Every structure is written in C-alpha cells, then in structure tokens.
Amino acid sequence: MNALPFAFANPAVLFALLSLPVIWWLLRLTPPRPQMEAFPPLKILASVLKREETPAQSPWWLTLLRILLAAAVIFALADPVVNQRSSTLATGPMVLLIDNSWASAADWQRRMDTAHALVDDAEAQDVPVSTVFTADRNHDATPANAATAREKLAAASPQPLVPDRRRALQAIRESLGGTTPGTVAFISDGVKSYDTDTVLADLATLKPQDLRLIEGDGTETIALTTATNGADQMTVSASRLAGTNAASYNLIAQDGQGRPIASGSLAFAAGQTDVSGTIAAPFEMRNDFARISIEGQASAGSVHLLDDGFKRRRVALLTGEAGDDFQPLLSPLYYINRALQPYADLIEPKVPDLAQSIPEILAGNPSVIIMADIGRLPAETYEPLQRWIANGGTLIRFAGPRLAAAPADDPLVPVILRQGERAFGGALSWAEPQPLADFPAFGPFAGMARPDGILVKRQVLAEPTPDLAERTWASLADGTPLVTVRNVNGGRIVLFHVSAEATWSDLPISGHFVEMLRRIVQLSRSGGASAETGAATTAEALPPFRLLTAEGVLSTETGDAKPLDPRRDLSKIASTFDNPPGLYGSEDGFTALNLLPAGAKLQRLDPATAGMAVARDSLIGEKAWSAKPALFTLAFLLLVADTLIVLFMGGAFARRLRPAAGAAMILVAAFAASALMPMGEARADDSKPGDDVIMERLNNTHLAYVITGEPDVDRMSEQGLNGLTDYLTYRTTLEPSPPVGVDISKDELSLFPIIYWPISASAPMPSTSTISRIDAYMRAGGTVLFDTRDQFSALDTSGAPTANGERLQAILGNLDIPPLEPVPTDHVLTKSFYLLSNFPGRYSGSPLWIEARQDARNGSSAGTQSGDGVSPIMITGNDFAGAWAIDANGAAVLPTVPPDETQRDYAFRTGVNIMMYMLTGNYKADQVHIPALLERLGQ
C-alpha cells in the first residue's frame, strides 16, 4: 500500500519554482503612472499643490506578496496530496493475510478499509487475491477474483482468540501449489502469537516479490493476564504492546449481574509494558467479583473472568499441640500457615479447648478446616462437623503420632487406617525412604509434575479396599497412599498420610506442598458450607456456558466450542478454537478460561526475522486529501489583498474618505445632541410613534397583540406570537418580523393585518373612544381575533358565561359587528394552507366564530366591504397564544389540555391558516379560474 504522508500528484510542475527569481525582478519594476495636465485656469493652483511622486520600484513587501501568490499557484498545479497511497502491486497472485484476533477488535474497521483498498488495487490490475484470516477455524486460500475477496471481507469479524498463523500459512502454501505470489500483504495485529512466532520468516519462504507488513500503532492493544485475590486487595497484572508513552487506565470489578462494585487503577510509566494494579475492597466484596475489565477498552484481552476458584476462602486451623514460639519450624501449623496465607483468610481458635473452639469456628461457616495431628475429638463435636462436611465443607487432616494412635473407626478420615505408623530407614526397617510417584490423571493434582527430591520417612497406612485407588490423589513410589479423599454429599474429607511439619517427610518444605494445598482449598465452596445438602462433585468435562466475544462481552452463543477438561491447570493454558475464552459449566457452577495464560506478556513482531526486505505500512486512517483547492483559495485571497493594496496606494479610497468622515461627524453630533437634550424636551409618554417606526412597520409584516396592562397576559401574548412567527418562517415563505404589542387607545392600528386580543376580566375596560378606534379598524379591512382563553373553565359552568366571556360581551356590545357563525367545513379557513377540520389552541372545545357568509354576500355588513371577503372578527376560547407560546430556547411554555403535542401542532397550523386567510382573502375560494386551469391541464 505504501501510504505516504505527503506527495505531489504532478511533481514536474515544481520546476516552475525556478522562475521565481525572474518573477521577483519583473515585479519590482513599476510602470510610470499616466501624466496628468492641469486645466490652464487652475494652473496657478497646481503650483501650490504638493507634487505626488511615483516610486521607481514596488515596495519589497508587495513584491514578496506577489511572489507568494505565484508560488501558491505553482504548488496548487503540482497538486500536493496528504495520505496519498501507492496502488502498485507486483505481478502475480496477491496474498492477503489478515489477523482477525482479539487485538484487532479495537481498529477492525480501519483494517477492513485497508483490505478493501488492496482488493481494489488488485481488481484494477486484474490480479487474483488469496484471502486468509488467521483466527478462523477453516481456511479457503484459493486465489479468486476481487468480488469473492470482498465477500470474504464482508463476512469476516474479529474473534476472541490468539491467531493461529501456522495453520493459515499452511493453507496458503497448499492453495498456491508452488506458484510464486506477487505481493504478500500481512495486515497484522502486531502481537507475537507465541514467543517463537516465525510468521514473517514463513511468509518470506513463499518468495514473494513484495512483502508488506501493515499494522496499527498498538496503543489500544492491552490485556489483563493475572488476577490474584490477596489478603487485603485484588492484584491485577496487565501487559500492553506499545510502551512509548505513559498511560493510566481504570480497572472495573463487576459482580455476576454486571454491576460495577469496585474500582482500581493501572499506571504505565513511559517505556513500561508490564505493570500490576490493585483493587482494594473488603474480603466479602472481593468474593463477589465475577469479572475485571479495563474501562474504555473493548476486547477479549481487556477482560479477566473470575470463577469460584479465584474467590478467597476462609480456612480454620486446628492442631493437637500448642505451638512453640522458640522453635516455630517444629510447629504443626507453621508450614500450612505460610503456604495458605497468600491465598486464604486464616482463622485460628482463641482457646485450645476443642469443645469450645470447634463450635465457634463452625459458627463462622469456614470453607475449609485443617486439623494437624488431631487424633480424638470431643464426642459432641463429631455430629456438627459431619453436618458441616455434608453441606459442602472441606476437612483436611494431617497425620502424626496422635492420629496414628486414634481408633480405626474414626468417621472423619477418608479411609480405614492401620494402627500405628510405618517408618522407613529405621533400625528395624529394611525399606529406604520413599519418593513420590507421578500424580494420577484425575484429582486436583492432575497435570502437576512429579516432585523430585522429596522423600517420605514415615506415614500412616490405609487398609487395602477395592476403591482405595479411586480415593488416592497422590501416592509414594511403592504404591502406598500419600493423599486420600472421601466425598461426603457436597463436601469432602482429605487426609495427608504424613505430618504437617518436616519430621515425617520433606513435603512441607517444598513448593509442591503450597500448590497441593492451594488446589485442594480451591475445590471448596467459597462461601462455606451451604444450608442444603449438595451432590458430590465429579471431574467430568464442563460444557461451554458463556463465551466471550472479541469485544469482551459474555454471550450465550457457544458455536463450535467443545467441553473443557477441568483437570488441566487453566491458569497456564491459552484459549483455543475448541475452547475459546469464557465460562464452562452451568449456572450452578462454572470454571473460567481466560484468553491468555497467567503471566503472559505481549511482544511485537520483529520484521528483521523475515530475512528479506519488508515494507512496513500503517492502516488506512483518513482518506487521501488534496491541498489543491486550499492553495488556489490562498492564491485568490492574496490576489484580492494585492488588488486592495494597489487601489489604496493609488488613492482610490482617499476620494471617499472625506464624505465618509463627514457622515461620521454628523452621526456623532446627532448622538451628542440627543444625549444633551434636556429632560423636559423628551417625547411625552402619550405621543404616537414617529415616522421611522411607522415606516419600519409598513415595510415588514408584524403580528400584533393588544396590550392589556396585565404583565402575565401580555407576556404570554408576546411569547405566543413569537412562536407563531417562528413557525410561519420555518413552514411558509412568509417571514414576519417580531410581534408588536399595541396600545389600541393611541397606536396606529392600520399597519397590522390582524390584531390578537386576549380577553381578561381583570384588565381595565376599554374606553368608548378606544372601542371606536377598533370599530374603524375593522371597517377598514382589519381583523380582530378575540380569545377569551376560558374554554377549560367553561366546561364546568353549565352554560353560564365565564368572567372573560362577560367582558367580551361588554366589548362587543359597543361594536358594529356582523352576524357570526362557526367556521363552516368548506370555508377558506379550512384550506388556506393546511386542510383543517377544527381549530384547536391550548384547548380544543371551542369553535372558531367568524362572520356569517350569507350576510357577507348580501353586503349587509359594512365590515367586509374592503376586506376581500375576510371576516373582520374572529372569536375563540381555545387560548391560541397559550399553545403557540415558546421560551428563549424554543421550548413550549404551557402544556396543552389534555397534554398532546399533536394538538399543539394543529394549533400552529390554525395560526398559519388564519394568517394566509388574512393575507390572501378569498383567493382559494374563487372558482372563476378553475375551468381555464382544468382545460390547460388537459382535463
């Protein structure tokens, strides 16, 4: 792909830059201005005027401006392109190897864009394409045409897996059949799939003519590798691919329901790729953690799943003898305490009396109880211990002199023991100390390496029984048991046939002792024994329960996943095609398998391992961008600046300076005069608007409302007409100016086609002269829209007029109004702009009253003679302004009754129809032109 950050499409044009010195020399020369001859009568005046001199050459800064203009044009013609991409491919089939692993999820779309660009190049050069995805189970690497390659790209998706590049390369070799490829493009996630990843060297063995490694910057490639539930906090390890810059991330711990319950942090220093973070939380809260994820990251690697094995157990320690502070290494609990302290919360009894300490320990419901060399227990403690074990508890016992002397019918041992102990290498024994045998393939120790250098000197022996081998988790080289177990309903009893300190064997001082105890403790219930008796656990394969997607989300889609073998140490294995990361088991219990093994570190692919030249490219970010338009725009602006400078230097603006200065002085003088005007000369409050106001209202259409003198009513009227004005501007070609409040007692009313009058019973009653002005306005063709705004109140008045209705009757009693009727269904108002059947406002129950048409046709109403059939009066009670009113943010001020935004929309449509009716009259009701129109339309 060879993406270049900057290149020229026509680099040959740049040779024109060599001409810039010549252009500099030419531009410095300024032709002489035309010589002007003075008119003879004015020659005497010419002698007193200052002679204007013309410079011999242009100023250096003007020349530099013109040089820059020429350079901008030259560069524009050369067509500089940012992010230009080379589309040249080598001859032969193109191999497109794509990592669709977990690390590709963050920038998957860019990877697909890059792949599509390569397929487009192959199609343009008629080159077949072999497309292979490294995280797919099956591969079809047969070279095909571009259409087939695009189908594969469209069907591909990132997988929550580590890529298996070996299988993909094997499929490529088989499909090529010895054919040498032209271009091999490896769109990689940049991460080694294993420590000795040789993918680039393997690609080089194909002997391509062109090998390209295309990868992102890796800044979003980060994975959680380990989570350890410590004594006071959860420790989480993470690894990232790009460690150049310092970075910090938030860790989120979620419970089984996906709710965040705790948080922590990861802090990478510059140059650091592996780091550990902590999540501090109480013991009980940490045991509720189900998953840990990195905030802001969406990949399978940024999630670490936790199961019951990660939960910290409460372990009680009991011993048959008191500890010796002066010789701690001989204490039966010393090595047990040191082995389990990092993994469990240890509890030791406060009193040595087992009859008191065992009930106290059982009251705390521990997960595990460990008894070191305890032979006989108080009789009253056997029954509660057995009940605790049956309900899910785990009892671990260690042998010793006391246990060797205990009765053979002890119910709290997993096998029948022989009386006494067996000694190796003593004066009365011919046997040598015995090493350990290999661990069996079942049990918690399956998969552990056989310990070397551990010898057993003493042990308690088990009586041979048919099921002894099934109950043996570990044995000596001579076949005698070392660790035995017996399942009791939901719990188990485990016995180490050696002591817990180093007198009987070397096991307690080895690292295997720590691992063996940890695995047994993890088999126990994290929350202690349950109230219900459970079933015995088995080591059967666990079916897939919930699987991670590439984006780090648990899904119930299990696909081709196979059951998981629980006997394997899952912390040391990586996920595979057969066992992708997720939860295996059932809702009652499951095991977590994470993407990477514990302690994994992300490492970059090294192109040097290819053994041949590797072209390193980056993923497509932004599309190629040409700077030609910007350079031409710059050249045009420089040309405009040059023109203005030349005009200024030629005096073109000087001739206009004096008139402009004079106008400015007049404006300043007028402002000063108005500021110094005595207060007594100011316009009186009762004067009418000046000519400037009248001209402004004549040139623009305004909606007007009557100022009632009540602030709330007037504010609602203004907001309502503001809302209608905005609606008219948005929906129609009419663009009214802001609404105007008019004082009907003195303002000029003929400037407005319609006046909205909200009736308020508490407002002052208009005077007789004011009503006469309204009557004259209506006769001259104006319309008054009376709104009593009382429809909601009128619903409960049983037909009696409201206070606002009575005030309207008083006003209309002094007006000469025509007979009224509700708007008929075929009236112009129902179709002047929108098709309407009713005229709602904030309320919808009141009809809209207008002049009755019969009287208008007879001409009995003087109010309609100059109105082109427009009714001079409209009456409603639906509160139009309340429905139209909006605040400064454009939001409705009042709700409709009932709340319904559809009703509000129809209220605005009512306002539009009223305005169109006012401005067009009965035009849409005129039927004169209909025959001619139909004839023209060919009807």
Side-chain angles (χ1 to χ4, degrees), residues 229-231 283 286-287 310-313 341-345:
N229 200 355
F283 163 77
R286 279 183 280 123
N287 273 358
F310 285 87
K311 297 179 180 179
R312 197 171 179 87
R313 271 64 170 175
Q341 190 173 16
Y343 309 106
D345 286 345

Side-chain angles (χ1 to χ4, degrees), residues 437-516:
D438 292 333
F439 293 113
F442 62 91
F445 310 143
M448 289 181 59
R450 183 175 64 86
D452 293 330
I454 297 177
L455 297 176
V456 176
K457 308 178 187 69
R458 289 177 180 269
Q459 72 176 143
V460 292
L461 289 174
E463 290 286 353
T465 57
D467 60 349
L468 181 59
E470 299 176 1
R471 295 187 181 186
T472 302
W473 280 353
S475 60
L476 302 182
D478 62 1
T480 55
L482 176 67
V483 181
T484 55
V485 64
R486 176 165 61 94
N487 293 321
V488 182
N489 292 335
R492 62 183 57 85
I493 301 173
V494 181
L495 173 63
F496 281 77
H497 290 240
V498 294
S499 64
E501 28 73 32
T503 58
W504 283 30
S505 72
D506 301 329
L507 180 62
I509 61 176
S510 69
H512 286 78
F513 184 69
V514 178
E515 183 65 15
M516 292 169 72

Side-chain angles (χ1 to χ4, degrees), residues 344-709:
D345 286 345
L346 305 181
I347 304 171
E348 295 191 34
K350 300 178 181 178
V351 293
D353 186 359
L354 296 179
Q356 297 182 24
S357 60
I358 289 179
E360 290 179 0
I361 289 174
L362 293 178
N365 195 21
S367 298
V368 179
I369 295 178
I370 298 179
M371 295 182 180
D373 192 20
I374 294 179
R376 297 176 183 268
L377 293 172
E380 65 271 19
T381 61
Y382 279 96
E383 183 180 353
L385 275 173
Q386 289 176 309
R387 186 168 57 251
W388 171 77
I389 295 171
N391 290 335
T394 298
L395 175 63
I396 303 176
R397 303 189 69 175
F398 283 86
R402 292 178 177 82
L403 184 62
D409 58 349
D410 189 344
L412 296 181
V413 292
V415 294
I416 301 175
L417 299 178
R418 291 182 180 182
Q419 288 287 337
E421 60 191 65
R422 178 192 182 192
F424 300 94
L428 301 178
S429 174
W430 296 293
E432 296 293 332
Q434 290 290 311
L436 272 62
D438 292 333
F439 293 113
F442 62 91
F445 310 143
M448 289 181 59
R450 183 175 64 86
D452 293 330
I454 297 177
L455 297 176
V456 176
K457 308 178 187 69
R458 289 177 180 269
Q459 72 176 143
V460 292
L461 289 174
E463 290 286 353
T465 57
D467 60 349
L468 181 59
E470 299 176 1
R471 295 187 181 186
T472 302
W473 280 353
S475 60
L476 302 182
D478 62 1
T480 55
L482 176 67
V483 181
T484 55
V485 64
R486 176 165 61 94
N487 293 321
V488 182
N489 292 335
R492 62 183 57 85
I493 301 173
V494 181
L495 173 63
F496 281 77
H497 290 240
V498 294
S499 64
E501 28 73 32
T503 58
W504 283 30
S505 72
D506 301 329
L507 180 62
I509 61 176
S510 69
H512 286 78
F513 184 69
V514 178
E515 183 65 15
M516 292 169 72
L517 276 182
R518 186 183 69 84
R519 292 194 179 197
I520 296 174
V521 169
Q522 284 183 342
L523 291 178
S524 64
R525 292 178 182 267
S526 60
S530 62
E532 300 293 335
T533 300
T537 58
T538 62
E540 297 178 356
L542 302 175
F545 174 53
R546 297 282 191 274
L547 297 183
L548 273 181
T549 64
E551 292 76 21
V553 179
L554 281 175
S555 172
T556 57
E557 296 293 334
T558 57
D560 298 330
K562 297 181 179 180
L564 180 68
D565 185 359
R567 296 173 296 182
R568 304 172 64 189
D569 187 358
L570 302 183
S571 64
K572 297 181 180 180
I573 64 174
S575 57
T576 62
F577 293 109
D578 293 335
N579 298 125
L583 304 177
Y584 290 80
S586 64
E587 190 172 358
D588 297 330
F590 48 78
T591 297
L593 176 63
N594 286 291
L595 175 73
L596 301 174
K601 296 182 179 180
L602 303 183
Q603 302 178 29
R604 278 193 177 276
L605 287 172
D606 186 5
T609 60
M612 65 174 293
V614 178
R616 301 192 65 178
D617 297 335
S618 59
L619 299 175
I620 287 181
E622 298 178 355
K623 294 183 179 180
W625 173 74
S626 174
K628 179 190 290 186
L631 290 173
F632 273 127
T633 302
L634 176 62
F636 174 75
L637 294 176
L638 292 176
L639 179 62
V640 172
D642 180 84
T643 303
L644 294 176
I645 291 172
V646 171
L647 291 176
F648 180 81
M649 295 176 65
F653 298 107
R655 291 188 292 270
R656 294 172 175 80
L657 182 61
R658 284 189 292 273
M665 294 180 62
I666 293 174
L667 289 176
V668 171
F671 176 78
S674 63
L676 297 176
M677 182 184 296
M679 295 299 296
E681 297 180 8
R683 182 193 299 173
D685 290 340
D686 57 348
S687 63
K688 296 182 179 180
D691 293 342
D692 54 339
V693 176
I694 293 177
M695 292 303 298
E696 193 276 336
R697 293 180 180 177
L698 280 174
N699 292 333
N700 299 279
T701 301
H702 294 269
L703 306 184
Y705 63 92
V706 173
I707 299 176
T708 62

Side-chain angles (χ1 to χ4, degrees), residues 862-877:
T864 64
Q865 297 303 315
S866 56
D868 193 21
V870 176
S871 174
I873 183 173
M874 298 182 186
I875 301 175
T876 185

